[in-house]
Amino acid sequence: FMASHQVGIAQLAIQYCSELVNDSTRRGAFFPGVNFGAGSKFGTPSGRSAVIAPIVNSALGTSLNSQDSAGMTTELNALMGNLGCGDGSSCSAAREQAVTKAVCAAAIGSAGVLVN
């Protein structure tokens, strides 16, 4: 497993998440509780959870004892805050989508997914 393989995986994860978030039908089905651009308040715990929970559940599954879904949730929550949508204020629609793409790509390009 070489560095170029990891770069390829990262690029695939970014492209997959970008397509998911850019397609309003798929985005709505994957993130049913999120209305992007309507002040969904990613800065609130429930706003972040509406984005993070479907990603973690899809990336790690819900019945794998060996996966640390709580740890991944904590890290994605911190990432979302570090990207500027975690301070309790609403982000613009474009920023919400960019942050969602980043959080999604971080999860599905992670070791938790690749090791399985």
Side-chain angles (χ1 to χ4, degrees):
F1 192 79
M2 299 169 54
S4 60
H5 297 132
Q6 184 59 45
V7 170
I9 290 167
Q11 289 175 335
L12 285 171
I14 292 165
Q15 187 63 36
Y16 173 84
C17 292
S18 183
E19 291 297 320
L20 172 67
V21 174
N22 287 342
D23 185 312
S24 61
T25 302
R26 289 187 177 130
R27 181 180 65 222
F30 194 82
F31 302 106
V34 181
N35 185 0
F36 289 89
S40 59
K41 300 249 185 222
F42 281 10
T44 66
S46 62
R48 289 188 304 275
S49 179
V51 171
I52 294 171
I55 293 170
V56 171
N57 290 341
S58 293
L60 298 182
T62 56
S63 61
L64 299 174
N65 293 332
S66 64
Q67 297 293 4
D68 184 13
S69 61
M72 180 179 270
T73 299
T74 299
E75 292 300 322
L76 295 178
N77 200 0
L79 175 61
M80 191 174 268
N82 290 338
L83 293 174
C85 284
D87 61 357
S89 63
S90 294
C91 294
S92 69
R95 188 68 183 158
E96 286 178 349
Q97 290 182 16
V99 168
T100 300
K101 290 174 189 178
V103 169
C104 173
I108 68 168
S110 72
V113 175
L114 302 177
V115 172
N116 282 328

